[in-house]
Structures are given as C-alpha cells and as structure tokens.
Amino acid sequence: MDIKQAADTDLAIVVNITHETIKGIYPRYYPKGAVDFFLAHHSAENIKCDILLGNIFLLTVDGAPVGTVTIKNNEICRLFVLPEQQGKGYGKALLEYSEKEISQISTRICLDASLPAKKIYLRYGYREIESHAILTENGDYLCYDVMEKAMDFTGGK
C-alpha cells in the first residue's frame, strides 16, 4: 500500500475513483437529485484544481489505484475508496494519513460527512458539530454533517 500526492496525470484516476464510489454507494442513501449534486460538486474541473494545488493524494495497492483523499488546510475532503475495495482498511489508511498530515499544522480536524461515512467517522473519534440539508433537483435533499476531531501536533488524540 502506498499513498502519494496526485499529479495532473492522475486526474482521470481520481475522477474515476470519486465518481464510481458515488454512483456505487450513494444511491443506497440518497435520492437521485442528491447523487447528481455530489457528482457535479466533485467534477473533473474541481478535482483538477485541487490536484494543481497539491491537495489530493492517491492510495495504490500493488500499483493499482484504489482510493483518494483531498486535504485542504485542516479539512479532510473527498475521501473515497472504490466500492469493490471497501472493507479492506484502505479508507482507514487514508484517514490516518490525513490526520497525521493535518496534525502537523492544526489541533482540530474538520470534515463534511455523508450519510454512508458518518458511522465510520464516529468510530474514529469525530463528533458532529452541525447538520445541513441542501435542496437539490426534483425537490430532493442532500443531508450531511460537519464533524470535527481534536488532535495534538504529534497526531494523537
């Protein structure tokens, strides 16, 4: 398992991981309007901007890309693992990597948790601080929670 900063040549890979995960998992939790909103929000254009800023990291296993995470200051964004690769510890590895990176600059980590991810973040010590609902197409709602975790500068709790 290897985690490296994504390069501009990795754009299609990051978009694929992100969109395949949203299409494969999110329809179990969200209506179509919300899923479409997620796909548009995580567009290739937005992902490309984050790659160019050096904010995106790619997890590979035996050279095959399986997951991605975006780190912006003290915020974990866009943490996705391909549906067929879930349950193997790759999401945990990306989360721990992100926490370690952020703990070097901040004592507080923030993230927006989707419905399928909230339980996982609670298990790793995050707490809900806000809940939001965004009206999307067809009168559908996208619900998510803002969560945070306190850290020390060495990566501990």
Side-chain angles (χ1 to χ4, degrees):
M1 184 170 21
D2 183 46
I3 299 174
K4 67 173 182 83
Q5 189 173 40
D8 57 348
T9 55
D10 296 319
L11 175 62
I13 294 168
V14 175
V15 170
N16 181 64
I17 292 169
T18 302
H19 286 210
E20 289 303 310
T21 304
I22 291 170
K23 291 177 198 174
I25 303 297
Y26 284 42
R28 299 178 197 165
Y29 296 85
Y30 291 106
K32 183 180 183 326
V35 173
D36 291 345
F37 180 93
F38 274 116
L39 291 168
H41 179 69
H42 297 295
S43 67
E45 182 179 311
N46 288 342
I47 292 171
K48 182 178 181 178
C49 288
D50 283 330
I51 286 176
L52 294 175
L53 291 170
N55 294 336
I56 297 185
F57 298 85
L58 192 59
L59 182 144
T60 58
V61 176
D62 297 326
V66 299
T68 184
V69 67
T70 302
I71 303 170
K72 296 181 181 180
N73 300 313
N74 72 326
E75 185 177 5
I76 298 172
C77 312
R78 202 183 292 121
L79 195 159
F80 291 107
V81 174
L82 288 168
E84 65 272 14
Q85 298 295 332
Q86 293 182 7
K88 299 178 182 179
Y90 302 140
K92 179 182 177 184
L94 286 166
L95 183 61
E96 289 176 349
Y97 177 87
S98 301
E99 289 179 344
K100 182 179 176 187
E101 291 296 309
I102 293 170
S103 70
Q104 295 176 39
I105 61 162
S106 179
T107 58
R108 189 172 140 264
I109 299 174
C110 298
L111 56 84
D112 291 343
S114 63
L115 294 175
K118 182 177 179 179
K119 183 177 177 182
I120 296 164
Y121 293 126
L122 288 169
R123 189 178 327 135
Y124 287 101
Y126 287 81
R127 65 181 185 89
E128 178 186 329
I129 59 172
E130 295 175 19
S131 291
H132 296 273
I134 297 172
L135 181 62
T136 65
E137 296 290 320
N138 305 321
D140 294 336
Y141 283 90
L142 181 158
C143 300
Y144 69 96
D145 296 309
V146 177
M147 302 184 82
E148 73 174 8
K149 181 177 183 178
M151 303 288 286
D152 66 31
F153 283 103
T154 61
K157 294 179 185 175

